[in-house]
Amino acid sequence: MFNNLKAELTRRDIRVTDLAGELKMTCKTLNNKLAGKSDFDLIEMKAIRRFLSKPTLSLDYLFEI
């Protein structure tokens, strides 16, 4: 799930552990969200976009299933 988000993380050489730390959640929680086992909330989605330093990327693009 979330192939576009994963691709953007890879392009920027951002590890899941780095993103989890930024979001103040465990790696397990973030991995569950990336796998679609639980949902990202809007605040988390906007924080991820900010962390990627790409405000021009739409949330629809990043979180496309």
Side-chain angles (χ1 to χ4, degrees):
M1 296 202 81
F2 306 116
N3 292 331
N4 294 336
L5 173 57
K6 291 176 185 176
E8 294 297 331
L9 293 172
T10 300
R11 279 187 200 104
R12 289 163 179 72
D13 198 28
I14 297 173
R15 298 176 303 163
V16 171
T17 55
D18 299 329
L19 183 56
E22 178 69 20
L23 297 172
K24 296 176 179 46
M25 65 176 64
T26 66
C27 288
K28 182 177 180 178
T29 298
L30 180 55
N31 280 322
N32 283 339
K33 290 176 183 261
L34 289 170
K37 294 179 182 176
S38 59
D39 295 326
F40 287 101
D41 63 34
L42 185 58
I43 293 170
E44 292 166 341
M45 295 166 121
K46 288 181 177 181
I48 290 169
R49 183 174 59 185
R50 238 184 345 268
F51 186 67
L52 292 172
S53 300
K54 288 299 273 186
T56 56
L57 292 176
S58 73
L59 294 177
D60 289 336
Y61 167 77
L62 286 174
F63 296 94
E64 181 179 33
I65 298 174

